[in-house]
Amino acid sequence: MTSFLISHPSFLAHDTGDYHPERPDRLRAVLAALDDAAIAHLVSVVAPAATLEQLTRVHPQEYVEAILGVRPPSGELVQIDADTIMSADSAEAVRHAAGAVVAGVDAVMRDAAQTVFAAVRPPGHHALPSIPGGFCLFNNVAVGALHAQAAYGLERVAIVDFDVHHGQGTQAIVEPDPRLFYASSHQSPLYPGTGSARERGVAGNVVNVPLAPGSGSAEFRAAWGDRILPALDLFAPELLIVSAGFDAHRRDPLAQLNVETADFAWLTEELLTIADRHAEGRIVSALEGGYDLDALAESVAAHVRALMRRS
Ligand SMILES: [Zn+2]
């Protein structure tokens, strides 16, 4: 089976200013790491733009139109909130970032690919239906999950999130719908301050495992192995979507966890085992955070190599 790498030139053109951690060089590092002989048979696909219909399943139409209407002149930046910035090309980037996850869902549901990695910017998991934040404008993975429900009638779609920050935007979209599942390991305390283990959704369909600063491989693997993976297995997803942030890495400057590159490969293999059992192996993974360029490149390569194990 094939694995797709879905990206778009606008992701490199989304400019956040000279000193912003969520910068185009992140994606350059990711694409360079994936442009490697060992993973040369990854099939590159250009992301389409998400349609208004796809975006408005998650976000109110007024919000979508307001975000897509932010088109400053070339070279100027618009501060959306304290951390979230848009430039001339950002409206194109946000439409294609959500579109990349939608295209990934289509690819795995139509058996064009078994697994997908969407190399996108900006990330999405902090975007609430009507509130941007944490570098995020549209919730890319949620747009993909709701597309899977609407276009393919899936009854059980899971989103798992190993970014070091809690994906409070994704959780808010998932928690009222028992046909969706959201699980996250994340550092606590840390932005955005949500993700207590007591937040369980309407049907136990939310699982949060906060990790104390300084936690490393043992705590990360226990969070997934003892708590999240058994709950995910019980949910029996027909499709697995991954918010793949690599900022839990020990070298990341934005947080204080000590996860190793090998832990991301381990977790990817565990997720494949569950996807094989319930979802015909279908995984759509989308890039979220990761701010040390070397750690990010190395970790994405390990993640994608694992995703490609049978191709
Ligand atoms: Zn993050």
Side-chain angles (χ1 to χ4, degrees):
M1 285 297 285
T2 309
S3 296
F4 281 3
L5 167 63
I6 306 184
S7 198
H8 191 271
S10 62
F11 303 156
L12 288 171
H14 166 54
D15 181 6
T16 48
D18 290 342
Y19 303 102
H20 201 287
E22 203 294 284
R23 58 205 192 275
D25 280 350
R26 296 180 59 242
L27 192 64
R28 284 191 193 98
V30 164
L31 296 175
L34 296 178
D35 187 23
D36 176 292
I39 36 189
H41 48 301
L42 194 58
V43 176
S44 285
V45 173
V46 177
T51 65
L52 206 55
E53 182 188 11
Q54 290 159 357
L55 293 168
T56 54
R57 291 185 187 122
V58 169
H59 302 284
Q61 186 160 344
E62 317 79 80
Y63 177 81
V64 170
E65 287 171 354
I67 294 296
L68 295 180
V70 179
R71 292 176 188 264
S74 183
E76 286 181 26
L77 303 179
V78 175
Q79 189 109 20
I80 302 295
D81 78 358
D83 315 309
T84 311
I85 309 244
M86 292 180 76
S87 66
D89 296 296
S90 298
E92 281 311 300
V94 296
R95 279 191 78 173
H96 287 87
V101 183
V102 169
V105 169
D106 286 338
V108 299
M109 292 309 300
R110 294 173 185 164
D111 289 333
Q114 185 162 50
T115 60
V116 169
F117 183 67
V120 302
R121 288 182 65 248
H125 70 154
H126 296 306
L128 288 146
S130 302
I131 307 174
F135 322 152
C136 303
L137 285 310
F138 292 152
N139 197 305
N140 305 322
V141 293
V143 171
L146 270 57
H147 176 69
Q149 291 183 322
Y152 301 98
L154 295 191
E155 287 296 320
R156 295 181 310 282
V157 179
I159 300 172
V160 296
D161 184 336
F162 57 78
D163 189 280
V164 79
H165 303 94
H166 180 241
Q168 93 288 15
T170 311
Q171 177 175 306
I173 295 154
V174 166
E175 62 191 353
D177 185 348
R179 299 172 306 155
L180 297 173
F181 177 94
Y182 175 74
S184 171
S185 65
H186 44 271
Q187 180 178 318
S188 177
L190 189 67
Y191 177 89
T194 49
S196 141
R198 292 186 303 277
E199 298 166 20
R200 296 300 317 275
V202 288
N205 58 324
V206 170
V207 179
N208 286 306
V209 185
L211 297 170
S215 299
S217 294
E219 293 85 356
F220 182 79
R221 292 194 188 208
W224 287 89
D226 298 346
R227 308 275 298 283
I228 296 174
L229 296 172
L232 178 64
D233 200 23
L234 208 60
F235 180 74
E238 299 162 286
L239 168 67
L240 186 49
I241 298 177
V242 182
S243 265
F246 298 92
D247 40 11
H249 196 283
R250 65 158 59 249
R251 292 205 298 270
D252 197 274
L254 263 56
Q256 294 79 42
L257 293 193
N258 293 311
V259 171
E260 307 281 355
T261 302
D263 297 321
F264 296 121
W266 168 82
L267 177 54
T268 308
E269 284 159 19
E270 294 292 316
L271 294 173
L272 279 162
T273 300
I274 291 180
D276 281 345
R277 196 174 295 144
H278 304 291
E280 297 174 33
R282 295 185 286 245
I283 296 185
V284 177
S285 175
L287 182 64
E288 299 281 1
Y291 303 97
D292 178 278
L293 296 186
D294 293 337
L296 173 64
E298 183 183 296
S299 300
V300 167
H303 175 60
V304 173
R305 271 199 198 94
L307 284 179
M308 295 180 72
R309 62 169 185 185
R310 279 153 305 172
S311 59

